[in-house]
Amino acid sequence: MASACITGLGMYVPPKVVKNDDLKAFYDTSDEWIYTRSGIQERRWVEEPASTAELGLYAAQEALKMANKKPSDIDLIIFATLSPDMYFPGSGVLLQNLLGLETTPALDIRQQCSGFIYGLSIADQYIRTGMYQTILLVGAEIQSTWIDYNPEGRTVGVLFGDGAGAAVIEATNAPGRGVLSTHLYSQGAYARELCVAEPSSATRRHELPGSYGMRPYMNGKEVFRHAVQRMGEAVQIALATQKWSPEEVDLYVLHQANIRIVQAIAEFFHLPMEKFYNNIHKYGNTTAASIPICLTEAWQEGRLKSGHKVILAAFGSGFTWGSAALVW
Ligand code: COA
């Protein structure tokens, strides 16, 4: 049976660099607070107007190039974002159109920071059943337009960045290569611990202007606690399923929300931080784009080589979380 193999990777971040100190223009904050609490030094923000689908396009073009594929080779587009261009339809169809495609199916998924892991799992299943051979998976976000620039928005506002990452996923018959297993979880009991509640089907549009529900809410401590526990569990089940020891994995790529979350997981498994690919200092939390941006940079830096054992894991709003075990 064929399995799914990542054959192309690409990323795009807007050129505008926003340093921690730049945020002092609207928040009572400091470089020291942000860096010591999260590991973030700067992030990229789009200059308006911008489109999430367009950011996805730039990343997708790079990924297609690396995979030596044309847009017309794509059997399915999976688009993961929490910041779509429109309330509906999703950004997947917009990307499909930007790629010059006419009727290629496009599937949007709403799994926030776990979007890439969920998308990879979906792609893997389609490839295993033989329904599709070439899938484009994109994670893209424009978060600088939804964060709250009011003083009380500082806890969430300093953490997020804009960007996009993409992967071309193809069927391979090479034994022991590609995606070996994925594990997905969610827990809606915590949906309100990290959310932007509006626009909502529960609110009439004329009530929206200035509505508090349009501002992001995050219970930072609760999210942190669950992120460490749940991503740790997700890594554990990936290891157990593959019968891999923590040490024999060549590279761990965990969602970039806070470097202290990654440090806590590294400590739990008694692993050095060198086993983990991190770039949160440059981009902040780019939600669904975080893992494919990491993979692209890891590949460019020669940290992903043929035969490498790789574990991906993510946790985010929903709560949703999961992991994937791959052999590169
Ligand atoms: N700048 C300066 N001070 C800030 C601040 C900011 N940007 N944001 C919050 N503060 C203040 C708080 O108001 C609080 O002040 P108080 O003690 O007077 O009430 C103080 O800093 C400490 O805040 P606290 O919430 O205890 O900080 P923390 O150590 O929990 O770190 C987070 C905050 C958000 C960095 C951390 O909780 C976190 O990373 N959570 C998980 C985030 C995450 O993973 N999100 C996405 C999941 S995909």
Side-chain angles (χ1 to χ4, degrees), residues 199-254:
S200 141
S201 52
T203 318
R204 299 199 184 278
R205 289 302 151 86
H206 68 268
E207 292 168 0
L208 274 183
S211 163
Y212 199 78
M214 291 186 77
R215 297 179 184 175
Y217 170 76
M218 178 172 74
N219 180 346
K221 284 198 191 311
E222 191 71 350
V223 173
F224 191 99
R225 193 172 64 79
H226 282 263
V228 171
Q229 185 191 331
R230 295 310 198 178
M231 267 204 287
E233 290 169 2
V235 167
Q236 184 72 68
I237 195 158
L239 290 169
T241 304
Q242 297 312 322
K243 299 187 170 54
W244 292 346
S245 71
E247 296 74 25
E248 74 181 287
V249 172
D250 295 285
L251 194 67
Y252 291 84
V253 179
L254 305 191

Side-chain angles (χ1 to χ4, degrees), residues 29 33 37 113 154-155 158 218 220-221 257-258 260-261 315:
T29 191
W33 191 95
R37 302 277 169 144
C113 300
R154 66 180 181 174
T155 312
V158 301
M218 178 172 74
K221 284 198 191 311
N258 188 323
R260 291 189 295 139
I261 294 175
F315 176 90

Side-chain angles (χ1 to χ4, degrees), residues 36-170:
T36 54
R37 302 277 169 144
S38 70
I40 299 167
Q41 291 175 313
E42 59 189 44
R43 74 285 294 133
R44 303 297 182 95
W45 281 0
V46 295
E47 317 238 28
E48 287 179 272
S51 145
T52 302
E54 217 171 273
L55 263 56
L57 172 71
Y58 302 145
Q61 285 169 331
E62 253 195 44
L64 286 166
K65 200 168 150 197
M66 175 175 158
N68 206 16
K69 293 279 168 195
K70 303 181 295 300
S72 56
D73 295 323
I74 301 166
D75 298 321
L76 171 73
I77 294 168
I78 304 174
F79 201 112
T81 186
L82 63 63
S83 50
D85 296 66
M86 295 189 235
Y87 187 62
F88 69 83
S91 296
V93 293
L94 305 181
L95 174 62
Q96 185 249 33
N97 187 46
L98 288 171
L99 283 165
L101 298 170
E102 282 186 12
T103 58
T104 307
L107 170 68
D108 274 65
I109 54 170
R110 299 285 312 273
Q111 265 58 37
Q112 299 66 251
C113 300
S114 314
F116 190 82
I117 303 283
Y118 267 73
L120 188 62
S121 183
I122 293 166
D124 184 39
Q125 305 315 309
Y126 274 127
I127 283 172
R128 281 177 194 273
T129 60
M131 182 154 173
Y132 297 125
Q133 271 71 51
T134 305
I135 296 176
L136 174 66
L137 170 59
V138 172
E141 307 285 358
I142 295 180
Q143 330 222 54
S144 55
T145 51
W146 62 256
I147 60 171
D148 180 6
Y149 291 89
N150 291 296
E152 58 273 28
R154 66 180 181 174
T155 312
V156 175
V158 301
L159 300 176
F160 288 88
D162 302 338
V168 173
I169 301 162
E170 290 185 72

